[in-house]
Amino acid sequence: MGTPENNTALFKCSVRFQAADPGGVSLVSGTGEARLFEEELQVWPQFGDPCVYPYRDVLEVQDSDYRVKVTLESGEFLELRELGYRYEDFTRELRRLRSELMIKDMLMSESLLKDETSRELPGFRGVYRSAAPAGNPEECEVRLYVSALVIIPRSSDPVRIPYSEISSAQAEDYSLALATESGQSYEF
């Protein structure tokens, strides 16, 4: 079910787009406008009805060479290009909106623990590195909820770490290292 046309988009920009099935066969393509809403991405072709992509159906968002590729759970994908100077803003806002919805789903309205004097973010900014093979440093926001710590990376999906899964925490030289019972480790 799509967002009604009269609702205000949180972000809009002109795009050239192509949607394709899992085999790469084009389903629809052309120019139009990409619109970001709280729970979905809509692509409005210059002529025709909008294509609606709920964030809950999005498996992955990739960006490189000024192109954004949105892969859906069905295997279909949407490629957006020619976003112009709005490319970085669009990509950042798409990831932020999708992450917020994922966090809402993961935590089911759990309360956020925050410093009431902070006005900018509900969490704190930082840089983290996971011990995974591609554990390059990445900017993130870290939020503390009642039962879990949530890492919101700038360019990938949020990571939820229940406090009960943290096996060790060590602070040293302005950094914090966490290890989980499943063998994952994170450094802030």
Side-chain angles (χ1 to χ4, degrees):
M1 180 162 127
T3 302
E5 184 178 351
N6 60 358
N7 280 358
T8 305
L10 301 171
F11 191 95
K12 297 179 186 180
C13 68
S14 298
V15 295
R16 180 170 295 278
F17 65 93
Q18 177 180 0
D21 70 12
V25 176
S26 182
L27 300 171
V28 63
S29 64
T31 59
E33 186 176 70
R35 299 178 186 179
L36 299 176
F37 291 87
E38 198 169 311
E39 294 193 6
E40 64 191 23
L41 159 64
Q42 295 182 5
V43 177
W44 288 72
Q46 197 169 16
F47 303 103
D49 293 329
C51 302
V52 178
Y53 302 93
Y55 301 139
R56 285 183 175 98
D57 294 346
V58 173
L59 197 60
E60 182 178 31
V61 175
Q62 298 174 318
D63 67 290
S64 66
D65 297 326
Y66 297 98
R67 294 172 185 244
V68 178
K69 183 177 180 182
V70 177
T71 305
L72 304 174
E73 289 179 351
S74 65
E76 294 177 5
F77 67 88
L78 171 68
E79 184 180 87
L80 304 169
R81 57 189 186 285
E82 297 182 23
L83 288 91
Y85 70 93
R86 308 232 34 213
Y87 168 77
E88 288 180 1
D89 293 335
F90 176 85
T91 304
R92 182 177 45 252
E93 191 66 8
L94 172 62
R95 283 200 167 105
R96 185 190 71 77
L97 290 167
R98 182 171 173 263
S99 291
E100 290 297 334
L101 187 61
M102 291 174 74
I103 290 167
K104 180 180 165 184
D105 290 349
M106 285 190 296
L107 296 167
M108 299 178 291
S109 301
E110 187 172 315
S111 296
L112 177 67
L113 305 175
K114 70 177 189 173
D115 178 1
E116 293 302 321
T117 62
S118 174
R119 303 273 183 240
E120 192 174 317
L121 294 171
F124 58 89
R125 291 179 199 249
V127 175
Y128 91 105
R129 175 188 356 246
S130 71
N136 295 323
E138 183 173 2
E139 287 185 36
C140 68
E141 178 185 344
V142 179
R143 294 183 187 172
L144 303 174
Y145 287 87
V146 171
S147 68
L149 174 138
V150 176
I151 304 167
I152 308 167
R154 189 171 237 187
S155 64
S156 57
D157 291 342
V159 178
R160 180 180 185 271
I161 305 170
Y163 298 130
S164 62
E165 292 291 315
I166 296 174
S167 59
S168 70
Q170 185 174 14
E172 185 177 313
D173 295 331
Y174 302 104
S175 68
L176 174 66
L178 296 178
T180 66
E181 291 183 4
S182 62
Q184 296 291 327
S185 60
Y186 302 90
E187 182 181 340
F188 302 93

